[in-house]
C-alpha cells in the first residue's frame, strides 16, 4: 500500500531549510539563537492550541485547526468573512471575535518560528490560501490519497478532519509516524 507520495515531504523540508535565510530573514527571525536549528526538528509539527476559548468556539464543528497551519492574512480573511464561513454560519460576539482573531494572528504561520508553519509559508511562495486543505503544502501531501480512504471511508469522510488520520493532530504532530488511516492502518512498505 504505497499509493501516496512519500518523497514530497522530504523535498519540501530541504527547500524550507534552504529558503529560510531569505524568506524570513527580517532581522528578528535570525535573532532567535536560542531555538534549535530547523534541521534538528521534524518538519511536521506545529505548536498545539493552548487557548481554551479557541477550542470551545472553533473546535465544536470540526478539528480545532492550529494557528500555525495558515498565514495571518488567511486567518484575517476567514475571521472577517462573518456569517459566510465555508457554507456554515459562525456566530461570535465582538469580544469573542477579537479574542480569537488576536490568538490566530499572533500565532499564525510566518509569525512564529515553528517547523510546519515555516514549511507552509515556503510552499505558498507568497500566495494566500483560502483554507488549510487548499494550501499548497497540504495539496502536495494529500493529492495521492484514494477517495476510498477519505470520502467513502466512514471513519474519515473529509480531509478537513485532520484528527481522523493524524493521531497526533491535536498535539500539533502531523508526522508520518503518527499516521493511521481508519480501515487501512499504518502505511507499510517503508
Ligand atoms: C457552526 C460550525 C462551525 C464553527 C463554530 C466553526 N466552523 Fe470552521 N468550518 C465549518 C465548516 C462546515 C467548514 C467546512 C469544512 C469542510 O469543508 O469539511 C469549516 C471550515 C473551516 C476551515 C477550513 C478547513 C479546511 O478544510 O481547510 C477553517 C480554517 C475554519 N473552519 C476555521 C474556523 C475557526 C477559526 C473557527 C472559530 C472562529 C471556526 N472555524 C468555527 C463550520 C464551523
Ligand atoms: C485521509 C487521512 C488524512 C487526513 C484526514 C489528513 N491527512 Fe495529512 N496526511 C495523510 C497522508 C496519507 C499523508 C502523507 C504521509 C506521507 O506519505 O509522508 C499526510 C501528510 C500530512 C503532512 C506532512 C507530514 C510530513 O511528515 O511531512 C501534513 C503536515 C499533514 N498531512 C497535515 C494534515 C492536516 C493539517 C490535515 C487536516 C486539515 C490533514 N493532514 C488531514 C493523511 C491524512
Amino acid at each position: 500500500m504505497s499509493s501516496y507520495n512519500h518523497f514530497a515531504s522530504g523535498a519540501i523540508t530541504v527547500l524550507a531549510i534552504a529558503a529560510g535565510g531569505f524568506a524570513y530573514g527580517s532581522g528578528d527571525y535570525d535573532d532567535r539563537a536560542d531555538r534549535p536549528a530547523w534541521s534538528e526538528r521534524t518538519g511536521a509539527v506545529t505548536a498545539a492550541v493552548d487557548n481554551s476559548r479557541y477550542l470551545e468556539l472553533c473546535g465544536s464543528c470540526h478539528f480545532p485547526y492550529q494557528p500555525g497551519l495558515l498565514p495571518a492574512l488567511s486567518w484575517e480573511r476567514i475571521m472577517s468573512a462573518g456569517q459566510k464561513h465555508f457554507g456554515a454560519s459562525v456566530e461570535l460576539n465582538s469580544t469573542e471575535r477579537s479574542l480569537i482573531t488576536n490568538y490566530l494572528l499572533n500565532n499564525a504561520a510566518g509569525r512564529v518560528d515553528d517547523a510546519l508553519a515555516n514549511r507552509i509559508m515556503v510552499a505558498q511562495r507568497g500566495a494566500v490560501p483560502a483554507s488549510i486543505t487548499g494550501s499548497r503544502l497540504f495539496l502536495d501531501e494529500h493529492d495521492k490519497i484514494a477517495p476510498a480512504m477519505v470520502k467513502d471511508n466512514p471513519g474519515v469522510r473529509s480531509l478537513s478532519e485532520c484528527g481522523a488520520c493524524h493521531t497526533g493532530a491535536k498535539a500539533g504532530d502531523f508526522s508520518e509516524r503518527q499516521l493511521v488511516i481508519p480501515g487501512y492502518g499504518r502505511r507499510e512498505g517503508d
Side-chain angles (χ1 to χ4, degrees):
M1 188 75 258
S2 191
S3 54
Y4 21 89
N5 187 350
H6 182 54
F7 298 103
S9 56
I12 290 165
T13 308
V14 171
L15 177 67
I17 292 162
F22 52 86
Y24 303 100
S26 58
D28 66 335
Y29 185 84
D30 293 324
D31 290 340
R32 304 186 212 182
D34 53 321
R35 311 256 186 175
W38 284 11
S39 54
E40 288 166 24
R41 285 180 274 148
T42 161
V45 178
T46 188
V49 170
D50 60 355
N51 183 310
S52 57
R53 289 297 279 153
Y54 181 82
L55 289 175
E56 244 169 75
L57 295 168
C58 303
S60 54
C61 296
H62 48 63
F63 177 80
Y65 307 110
Q66 285 87 358
L69 294 175
L70 283 175
L73 209 47
S74 300
W75 286 125
E76 220 170 291
R77 289 178 187 173
I78 289 168
M79 291 306 292
S80 59
Q83 305 284 79
K84 289 185 191 153
H85 181 82
F86 302 93
S89 171
V90 175
E91 314 230 355
L92 300 175
N93 64 37
S94 61
T95 315
E96 290 166 342
R97 181 168 299 282
S98 61
L99 186 142
I100 298 297
T101 305
N102 286 341
Y103 170 66
L104 287 168
L105 296 190
N106 288 336
N107 296 284
R111 298 208 168 155
V112 289
D113 176 17
D114 169 313
L116 177 55
N118 291 340
R119 256 174 89 197
I120 288 168
M121 290 304 280
V122 170
Q124 280 307 123
R125 297 174 191 271
V128 180
S131 65
I132 294 159
T133 49
S135 67
R136 289 183 182 169
L137 180 79
F138 185 94
L139 291 169
D140 284 349
E141 292 287 350
H142 299 85
D143 65 345
K144 301 276 192 326
I145 307 174
M149 292 180 169
V150 188
K151 273 202 226 82
D152 306 334
N153 186 342
V156 182
R157 292 294 186 210
S158 164
L159 276 178
S160 301
E161 288 306 328
C162 318
C165 303
H166 294 278
T167 63
K170 285 239 164 100
D173 187 346
F174 295 92
S175 61
E176 210 187 333
R177 67 196 148 86
Q178 303 264 43
L179 185 68
V180 183
I181 299 183
Y184 294 83
R186 285 175 193 281
R187 211 176 62 156
E188 290 165 32
D190 292 319

